[in-house]
Amino acid sequence: MMTARLKGLVLGVLATGLVAGGVQAQTASVPARGQTVPVGTVADDAADDPAIWRDPRNPEKSLVVGTDKKAGLHVYRLSGESVHFNPAGRVNNVDLVDLGARGVVVVASDRNDPARALLKVYRLDTRTGALLPLGQAEGGAGEAYGVCLAVIDRQVHAFSVLKDGQVVQVRLDLGRDKVSGTVVRKLGVPSQAEGCVVDNRTRTLYVGEERAGVWVFDARPGAPAEGRLAIRADGVQLVPDVEGLALAAEGRTGGWLVVSSQGDNAYALYRLPELTPAGRFRISGGELGSTEETDGIALALGRFSRAYPDGLFIAQDGDNAPNAQNFKLASWAEILRAVRTPTP
């Protein structure tokens, strides 16, 4: 979340339409087409991060897992209703991976002990929406913040992002009813980090350093630990804090990386694999309201419903007044159209 001082500066920027150096950012506007019910924790910064499971047989029955970082995990239908709640306490970020016959595995970053990061692991019952606990794995010495998953050489790897910028890569060994984890590598960025996402095609890990931008690492466990700052938070295309990251894969290496530009309540797009800036957008202008101060985001391609014919984008809404925070749903097709023909 932004500090009060930073929020005041941002509001001044938005009022004038100017950002760093007097440069005006061209930002498209897209309406929310759906929203979840508010989280149970009211009058607090609580909703944080979503993950999407797309039902390949019946996409309209797809599910969304979202964190209430003060209380636990919700599972939502596309209609926005919560069909399951797991009282896991202070779980910050969440990700999932569909392993086919082995089921859908959900992992949340557990910050109940700020000195000991844990990875809470569940299996998602895709019929009922229930989260079935499998256990937990160590996520590093420090406060858990972000988490993202990758499948590398048929093994599930979790990247546990700690608040101080450490990134701990953990191989998850999944049994039928239990889980164990092995730390295989430690990475890191210079300061506070949270959002991350992995491109499974190219074995590339993207990590958001909140004040600086987006780092790129080789996700393979035997690769060098050094990364590079590939996207800088320049105050124009990407305005800090840098928060959630999401990825839309297209072809062998193409697609988009989406980054939550929390500093001006927008989302920045970059074309893969070169990470070329490809536009910006905000969720606003619809009957369901806008999104502000977004932490986590998620994106999945494919048809979900008439409202989401080519993909689903979800963003945490940090200011859903007068209600508690929630998650807003938007059409990826509408986003791409708006970005390509933004309103001057």
mmCIF file of all heavy atoms in Angstrom, residues 41 51 70 121 127-128 132 136 139 145 165 169 178 195 206 211 214 218 245 259 267 272-273 312 321 337:
data_model
loop_
_atom_site.group_PDB
_atom_site.id
_atom_site.type_symbol
_atom_site.label_atom_id
_atom_site.label_comp_id
_atom_site.label_asym_id
_atom_site.label_seq_id
_atom_site.Cartn_x
_atom_site.Cartn_y
_atom_site.Cartn_z
ATOM 1 N N THR A 41 -12.761 -9.061 6.123
ATOM 2 C CA THR A 41 -12.069 -8.087 6.966
ATOM 3 C C THR A 41 -12.419 -6.690 6.490
ATOM 4 O O THR A 41 -12.046 -6.281 5.393
ATOM 5 C CB THR A 41 -10.546 -8.286 6.901
ATOM 6 O OG1 THR A 41 -10.236 -9.612 7.324
ATOM 7 C CG2 THR A 41 -9.824 -7.302 7.790
ATOM 8 N N ALA A 51 -5.573 -15.666 -7.899
ATOM 9 C CA ALA A 51 -5.064 -16.653 -8.844
ATOM 10 C C ALA A 51 -6.262 -17.276 -9.539
ATOM 11 O O ALA A 51 -7.326 -17.449 -8.931
ATOM 12 C CB ALA A 51 -4.236 -17.721 -8.134
ATOM 13 N N LYS A 70 -5.497 -10.744 6.190
ATOM 14 C CA LYS A 70 -5.693 -10.695 7.636
ATOM 15 C C LYS A 70 -6.377 -11.956 8.160
ATOM 16 O O LYS A 70 -6.426 -12.173 9.370
ATOM 17 C CB LYS A 70 -6.556 -9.484 8.024
ATOM 18 C CG LYS A 70 -6.102 -8.160 7.462
ATOM 19 C CD LYS A 70 -4.759 -7.724 8.007
ATOM 20 C CE LYS A 70 -4.403 -6.335 7.471
ATOM 21 N NZ LYS A 70 -3.081 -5.881 7.913
ATOM 22 N N VAL A 121 0.246 -25.200 1.388
ATOM 23 C CA VAL A 121 -0.056 -25.927 0.147
ATOM 24 C C VAL A 121 -1.415 -26.615 0.266
ATOM 25 O O VAL A 121 -1.714 -27.260 1.284
ATOM 26 C CB VAL A 121 1.044 -26.957 -0.157
ATOM 27 C CG1 VAL A 121 0.781 -27.625 -1.506
ATOM 28 C CG2 VAL A 121 2.426 -26.289 -0.155
ATOM 29 N N ARG A 127 -14.581 -29.240 -8.289
ATOM 30 C CA ARG A 127 -16.033 -29.423 -8.356
ATOM 31 C C ARG A 127 -16.746 -28.570 -7.314
ATOM 32 O O ARG A 127 -17.736 -27.913 -7.615
ATOM 33 C CB ARG A 127 -16.390 -30.894 -8.165
ATOM 34 C CG ARG A 127 -17.880 -31.198 -8.313
ATOM 35 C CD ARG A 127 -18.146 -32.683 -8.148
ATOM 36 N NE ARG A 127 -17.728 -33.166 -6.826
ATOM 37 C CZ ARG A 127 -18.482 -33.087 -5.726
ATOM 38 N NH1 ARG A 127 -19.695 -32.550 -5.792
ATOM 39 N NH2 ARG A 127 -18.051 -33.555 -4.579
ATOM 40 N N THR A 128 -16.228 -28.567 -6.089
ATOM 41 C CA THR A 128 -16.894 -27.842 -5.004
ATOM 42 C C THR A 128 -16.245 -26.495 -4.689
ATOM 43 O O THR A 128 -16.855 -25.649 -4.041
ATOM 44 C CB THR A 128 -16.869 -28.676 -3.716
ATOM 45 O OG1 THR A 128 -15.515 -28.820 -3.268
ATOM 46 C CG2 THR A 128 -17.470 -30.050 -3.961
ATOM 47 N N LEU A 132 -8.229 -28.232 0.009
ATOM 48 C CA LEU A 132 -7.896 -29.370 0.858
ATOM 49 C C LEU A 132 -6.444 -29.243 1.283
ATOM 50 O O LEU A 132 -5.536 -29.357 0.451
ATOM 51 C CB LEU A 132 -8.131 -30.673 0.101
ATOM 52 C CG LEU A 132 -9.497 -30.791 -0.594
ATOM 53 C CD1 LEU A 132 -9.570 -32.060 -1.428
ATOM 54 C CD2 LEU A 132 -10.622 -30.721 0.419
ATOM 55 N N GLN A 136 2.669 -27.865 4.637
ATOM 56 C CA GLN A 136 3.414 -26.642 4.440
ATOM 57 C C GLN A 136 4.882 -26.955 4.208
ATOM 58 O O GLN A 136 5.365 -28.035 4.517
ATOM 59 C CB GLN A 136 3.264 -25.721 5.650
ATOM 60 C CG GLN A 136 3.810 -26.291 6.947
ATOM 61 C CD GLN A 136 3.462 -25.448 8.164
ATOM 62 O OE1 GLN A 136 2.419 -24.793 8.198
ATOM 63 N NE2 GLN A 136 4.332 -25.431 9.142
ATOM 64 N N GLY A 139 9.743 -21.471 3.657
ATOM 65 C CA GLY A 139 9.883 -20.482 2.593
ATOM 66 C C GLY A 139 10.989 -19.486 2.813
ATOM 67 O O GLY A 139 11.116 -18.526 2.045
ATOM 68 N N TYR A 145 6.040 -12.678 1.692
ATOM 69 C CA TYR A 145 5.288 -11.668 0.953
ATOM 70 C C TYR A 145 4.702 -12.279 -0.318
ATOM 71 O O TYR A 145 3.546 -12.609 -0.380
ATOM 72 C CB TYR A 145 6.201 -10.471 0.649
ATOM 73 C CG TYR A 145 5.721 -9.177 1.261
ATOM 74 C CD1 TYR A 145 5.229 -9.129 2.556
ATOM 75 C CD2 TYR A 145 5.762 -7.990 0.549
ATOM 76 C CE1 TYR A 145 4.788 -7.944 3.117
ATOM 77 C CE2 TYR A 145 5.321 -6.792 1.098
ATOM 78 C CZ TYR A 145 4.829 -6.774 2.381
ATOM 79 O OH TYR A 145 4.394 -5.591 2.925
ATOM 80 N N GLY A 165 13.355 -8.564 0.126
ATOM 81 C CA GLY A 165 13.929 -8.725 -1.198
ATOM 82 C C GLY A 165 14.540 -10.081 -1.462
ATOM 83 O O GLY A 165 14.908 -10.380 -2.608
ATOM 84 N N GLN A 169 13.963 -20.241 -3.720
ATOM 85 C CA GLN A 169 13.377 -21.203 -4.642
ATOM 86 C C GLN A 169 13.257 -22.554 -3.946
ATOM 87 O O GLN A 169 14.247 -23.108 -3.466
ATOM 88 C CB GLN A 169 14.226 -21.331 -5.912
ATOM 89 C CG GLN A 169 13.630 -22.257 -6.965
ATOM 90 C CD GLN A 169 14.362 -22.185 -8.296
ATOM 91 O OE1 GLN A 169 15.256 -21.371 -8.473
ATOM 92 N NE2 GLN A 169 13.973 -23.018 -9.238
ATOM 93 N N LYS A 178 0.118 -35.234 1.161
ATOM 94 C CA LYS A 178 1.095 -34.484 1.938
ATOM 95 C C LYS A 178 2.064 -33.786 1.000
ATOM 96 O O LYS A 178 2.066 -34.021 -0.215
ATOM 97 C CB LYS A 178 1.860 -35.413 2.881
ATOM 98 C CG LYS A 178 2.660 -36.491 2.175
ATOM 99 C CD LYS A 178 3.385 -37.385 3.172
ATOM 100 C CE LYS A 178 4.208 -38.448 2.451
ATOM 101 N NZ LYS A 178 4.942 -39.322 3.409
ATOM 102 N N GLY A 195 5.557 -8.982 -5.803
ATOM 103 C CA GLY A 195 4.983 -9.666 -6.944
ATOM 104 C C GLY A 195 6.005 -10.449 -7.753
ATOM 105 O O GLY A 195 7.149 -10.025 -7.921
ATOM 106 N N TYR A 206 10.179 -13.377 -13.223
ATOM 107 C CA TYR A 206 10.073 -11.923 -13.109
ATOM 108 C C TYR A 206 9.712 -11.587 -11.662
ATOM 109 O O TYR A 206 8.768 -12.160 -11.098
ATOM 110 C CB TYR A 206 8.991 -11.382 -14.043
ATOM 111 C CG TYR A 206 9.245 -11.684 -15.508
ATOM 112 C CD1 TYR A 206 8.718 -12.833 -16.100
ATOM 113 C CD2 TYR A 206 10.010 -10.833 -16.292
ATOM 114 C CE1 TYR A 206 8.947 -13.125 -17.436
ATOM 115 C CE2 TYR A 206 10.243 -11.114 -17.639
ATOM 116 C CZ TYR A 206 9.713 -12.261 -18.202
ATOM 117 O OH TYR A 206 9.938 -12.557 -19.528
ATOM 118 N N ARG A 211 10.231 -0.277 -5.358
ATOM 119 C CA ARG A 211 10.652 1.078 -5.674
ATOM 120 C C ARG A 211 11.429 1.186 -6.984
ATOM 121 O O ARG A 211 11.598 2.285 -7.507
ATOM 122 C CB ARG A 211 11.547 1.628 -4.548
ATOM 123 C CG ARG A 211 10.891 1.644 -3.183
ATOM 124 C CD ARG A 211 9.621 2.467 -3.180
ATOM 125 N NE ARG A 211 9.840 3.842 -3.633
ATOM 126 C CZ ARG A 211 8.863 4.672 -3.985
ATOM 127 N NH1 ARG A 211 7.615 4.256 -3.985
ATOM 128 N NH2 ARG A 211 9.136 5.902 -4.373
ATOM 129 N N VAL A 214 11.201 -4.140 -12.363
ATOM 130 C CA VAL A 214 11.038 -5.590 -12.514
ATOM 131 C C VAL A 214 12.377 -6.224 -12.867
ATOM 132 O O VAL A 214 13.040 -5.824 -13.832
ATOM 133 C CB VAL A 214 9.992 -5.930 -13.597
ATOM 134 C CG1 VAL A 214 9.851 -7.447 -13.745
ATOM 135 C CG2 VAL A 214 8.643 -5.302 -13.248
ATOM 136 N N ASP A 218 16.896 -16.325 -14.454
ATOM 137 C CA ASP A 218 16.721 -17.653 -15.007
ATOM 138 C C ASP A 218 16.087 -18.511 -13.908
ATOM 139 O O ASP A 218 16.628 -18.623 -12.804
ATOM 140 C CB ASP A 218 18.079 -18.229 -15.421
ATOM 141 C CG ASP A 218 17.956 -19.520 -16.226
ATOM 142 O OD1 ASP A 218 17.047 -20.320 -15.941
ATOM 143 O OD2 ASP A 218 18.800 -19.747 -17.108
ATOM 144 N N LEU A 245 2.339 -8.868 -10.600
ATOM 145 C CA LEU A 245 2.778 -9.201 -11.952
ATOM 146 C C LEU A 245 1.902 -10.334 -12.488
ATOM 147 O O LEU A 245 1.525 -11.237 -11.745
ATOM 148 C CB LEU A 245 4.238 -9.660 -11.976
ATOM 149 C CG LEU A 245 5.347 -8.605 -12.032
ATOM 150 C CD1 LEU A 245 5.362 -7.751 -10.783
ATOM 151 C CD2 LEU A 245 6.711 -9.276 -12.197
ATOM 152 N N VAL A 259 2.067 -5.367 -15.257
ATOM 153 C CA VAL A 259 2.611 -4.966 -13.968
ATOM 154 C C VAL A 259 1.681 -3.942 -13.327
ATOM 155 O O VAL A 259 1.257 -2.981 -13.983
ATOM 156 C CB VAL A 259 4.029 -4.362 -14.119
ATOM 157 C CG1 VAL A 259 4.623 -4.050 -12.743
ATOM 158 C CG2 VAL A 259 4.947 -5.298 -14.893
ATOM 159 N N TYR A 267 -2.087 -0.024 -14.831
ATOM 160 C CA TYR A 267 -1.407 -1.280 -15.136
ATOM 161 C C TYR A 267 -0.594 -1.076 -16.406
ATOM 162 O O TYR A 267 -1.104 -0.554 -17.406
ATOM 163 C CB TYR A 267 -2.431 -2.413 -15.314
ATOM 164 C CG TYR A 267 -3.416 -2.452 -14.174
ATOM 165 C CD1 TYR A 267 -4.638 -1.783 -14.278
ATOM 166 C CD2 TYR A 267 -3.105 -3.080 -12.975
ATOM 167 C CE1 TYR A 267 -5.537 -1.761 -13.223
ATOM 168 C CE2 TYR A 267 -3.997 -3.069 -11.905
ATOM 169 C CZ TYR A 267 -5.200 -2.400 -12.036
ATOM 170 O OH TYR A 267 -6.090 -2.361 -10.980
ATOM 171 N N LEU A 272 6.324 -9.349 -24.756
ATOM 172 C CA LEU A 272 7.339 -10.383 -24.625
ATOM 173 C C LEU A 272 7.838 -10.794 -26.017
ATOM 174 O O LEU A 272 7.092 -10.714 -26.983
ATOM 175 C CB LEU A 272 6.755 -11.605 -23.907
ATOM 176 C CG LEU A 272 6.316 -11.395 -22.466
ATOM 177 C CD1 LEU A 272 5.543 -12.623 -21.975
ATOM 178 C CD2 LEU A 272 7.508 -11.134 -21.563
ATOM 179 N N PRO A 273 9.088 -11.250 -26.137
ATOM 180 C CA PRO A 273 10.049 -11.450 -25.043
ATOM 181 C C PRO A 273 10.938 -10.250 -24.762
ATOM 182 O O PRO A 273 11.704 -10.258 -23.809
ATOM 183 C CB PRO A 273 10.896 -12.613 -25.570
ATOM 184 C CG PRO A 273 10.913 -12.397 -27.048
ATOM 185 C CD PRO A 273 9.563 -11.857 -27.397
ATOM 186 N N LEU A 312 -9.272 -13.529 -19.036
ATOM 187 C CA LEU A 312 -9.777 -12.890 -17.820
ATOM 188 C C LEU A 312 -8.640 -12.226 -17.073
ATOM 189 O O LEU A 312 -7.611 -12.852 -16.797
ATOM 190 C CB LEU A 312 -10.440 -13.944 -16.926
ATOM 191 C CG LEU A 312 -10.883 -13.515 -15.519
ATOM 192 C CD1 LEU A 312 -11.977 -12.457 -15.604
ATOM 193 C CD2 LEU A 312 -11.364 -14.738 -14.729
ATOM 194 N N ALA A 321 -14.695 1.426 -1.188
ATOM 195 C CA ALA A 321 -15.624 2.091 -0.270
ATOM 196 C C ALA A 321 -16.994 2.266 -0.920
ATOM 197 O O ALA A 321 -17.100 2.484 -2.132
ATOM 198 C CB ALA A 321 -15.054 3.445 0.132
ATOM 199 N N ARG A 337 -7.994 -4.106 -26.902
ATOM 200 C CA ARG A 337 -8.596 -3.130 -27.827
ATOM 201 C C ARG A 337 -8.384 -1.709 -27.324
ATOM 202 O O ARG A 337 -8.041 -0.805 -28.095
ATOM 203 C CB ARG A 337 -10.091 -3.402 -27.995
ATOM 204 C CG ARG A 337 -10.410 -4.588 -28.894
ATOM 205 C CD ARG A 337 -11.867 -4.541 -29.346
ATOM 206 N NE ARG A 337 -12.783 -4.594 -28.227
ATOM 207 C CZ ARG A 337 -13.294 -5.717 -27.733
ATOM 208 N NH1 ARG A 337 -12.943 -6.890 -28.248
ATOM 209 N NH2 ARG A 337 -14.146 -5.690 -26.721
#
